[in-house]
């Protein structure tokens, strides 16, 4: 199972770096739309990484909401509310995509979500390096 955690971590790490870069350089609609797609990928990989890590601890989760709640309880994330907002933002992007909403969400991605994803990256990296699972 640890191999799966490490694989998900490697995929998440690449996606996170790509998202960070995208938020730093996005200037026009094409850049912003690309950043939003990178966020969606990063979000999916983050929750699947959490799911695998928690499964290694014997905690089975079946949804992002459950994963984020358990990740908070198990000290993988610090701000559960931001993660729950990510669920809302991701769902809005996928199901009711409007230009105005997407730009509002882009600013949340840039101002809040990237920082929280970065904190998760550091937390899970440290746990993997210290073999804490």
């Amino acid at each position: 199972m640890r191999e799966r955690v490490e694989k998900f971590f490697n995929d998440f790490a690449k996606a996170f770096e790509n998202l960070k870069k995208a938020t730093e350089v996005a200037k026009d609609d094409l850049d912003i739309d690309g950043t939003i797609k990178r966020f969606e990928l990063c979000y999916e990989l983050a929750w699947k990484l959490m799911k695998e890590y928690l499964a290694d601890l014997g905690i089975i989760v079946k949804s992002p909401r459950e994963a984020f709640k358990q990740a908070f309880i198990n000290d993988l994330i610090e701000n559960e509310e931001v993660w729950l907002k990510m669920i809302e933002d991701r769902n809005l992007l996928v199901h009711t995509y409007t230009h105005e909403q997407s730009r509002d969400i882009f600013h949340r991605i840039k101002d809040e979500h990237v920082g929280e994803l970065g904190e998760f990256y550091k937390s899970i990296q440290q746990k993997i390096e210290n073999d804490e699972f």
Side-chain angles (χ1 to χ4, degrees):
M1 194 71 107
R2 289 186 177 159
E3 289 175 15
R4 289 179 51 91
V5 171
E6 289 176 9
K7 184 196 179 317
F8 274 109
F9 174 76
N10 291 332
D11 291 343
F12 169 72
K14 289 174 193 165
F16 175 66
E17 283 303 314
N18 287 336
L19 175 62
K20 245 179 26 176
K21 287 176 191 170
T23 60
E24 293 166 2
V25 301
K27 291 186 177 30
D28 60 21
D29 283 345
L30 188 60
D31 292 342
I32 290 170
D33 290 345
T35 301
I36 287 168
K37 281 309 204 189
R38 286 181 177 196
F39 165 72
E40 291 173 4
L41 176 63
C42 195
Y43 164 90
E44 292 296 326
L45 289 169
W47 101 258
K48 289 176 180 175
L49 172 57
M50 286 177 195
K51 179 181 176 181
E52 288 298 321
Y53 179 84
L54 291 166
D56 245 25
L57 298 177
I59 302 165
I60 305 305
V61 297
K62 298 184 187 221
S63 71
R65 188 173 304 280
E66 284 180 76
F68 300 159
K69 288 184 181 294
Q70 286 299 320
F72 179 72
I73 291 167
N74 288 278
D75 297 321
L76 286 175
I77 61 173
E78 295 178 10
N79 191 333
E80 183 182 2
E81 291 305 312
V82 172
W83 286 88
L84 295 176
K85 184 65 180 163
M86 280 190 222
I87 293 172
E88 291 175 30
D89 286 344
R90 184 255 176 209
N91 288 344
L92 281 172
L93 290 168
V94 172
H95 300 294
T96 58
Y97 193 90
T98 67
H99 183 79
E100 296 79 22
Q101 280 181 324
S102 70
R103 295 321 178 245
D104 290 343
I105 294 170
F106 168 77
H107 289 291
R108 272 196 300 281
I109 291 167
K110 187 175 181 175
D111 299 337
E112 296 175 22
H113 299 339
V114 168
E116 197 62 31
L117 287 160
E119 290 302 316
F120 170 61
Y121 172 84
K122 290 181 216 168
S123 173
I124 195 81
Q125 180 182 42
Q126 183 178 22
K127 290 183 183 300
I128 289 171
E129 287 173 357
N130 294 335
D131 206 27
E132 294 179 27
F133 61 108

